[in-house]
Amino acid sequence: MCLLLCALLSATTAHAHSRLITAQPRHGEILANSPAQVVLDFSAPVEPAFSRIEILQGDKWSILKETSVQGKRMLAALPRLPPGKHHLRWSILSADGHHQTGTLSFTIRP
């Protein structure tokens, strides 16, 4: 019985959903200059073919084309951004098959 319980607990732990751990720039951060890239670190590996980062430009979301995935980390080059508030949206497929989304905003000082 104890072995069965241990096996079930191990399986549950292995299939936990991936969540965002850290982001650069951080949500709500105020920056002096436009960042060159966005870096997102997740708690579990991310499937590259089904994951993306978008930026809001005007009233339209645009996919950041230069995006790469390295295990639990997603990186994307950012265009030179003007001063003001900027919004990013990410969408990932975890290695466990669960889809996750989120947003973050940061501001560039004038």
Side-chain angles (χ1 to χ4, degrees):
M1 181 67 150
C2 182
L3 288 176
L4 178 60
L5 181 59
C6 288
L8 288 174
L9 289 175
S10 295
T12 302
T13 302
H15 294 325
H17 298 322
S18 183
R19 61 184 170 78
L20 183 65
I21 301 293
T22 62
Q24 287 299 323
R26 293 183 317 274
H27 179 66
E29 187 171 7
I30 298 173
L31 305 168
N33 300 303
S34 177
Q37 66 178 359
V38 59
V39 179
L40 305 177
D41 288 310
F42 295 92
S43 61
V46 174
E47 294 292 335
F50 301 102
S51 302
R52 67 178 184 228
I53 301 173
E54 299 172 288
I55 188 165
L56 184 62
Q57 296 181 310
D59 62 350
K60 181 181 173 191
W61 288 97
S62 300
I63 295 173
L64 295 174
K65 303 261 187 239
E66 295 180 42
T67 300
S68 66
V69 173
Q70 301 165 356
K72 298 177 183 180
R73 175 170 279 185
M74 246 178 117
L75 302 104
L78 288 171
R80 180 116 177 106
L81 300 170
K85 192 166 189 172
H86 299 278
H87 305 279
L88 297 174
R89 177 169 67 187
W90 54 267
S91 175
I92 64 164
L93 180 66
S94 306
D96 69 359
H98 289 95
H99 185 255
Q100 303 288 325
T101 61
T103 59
L104 66 96
S105 300
F106 59 91
T107 302
I108 300 171
R109 287 193 307 247

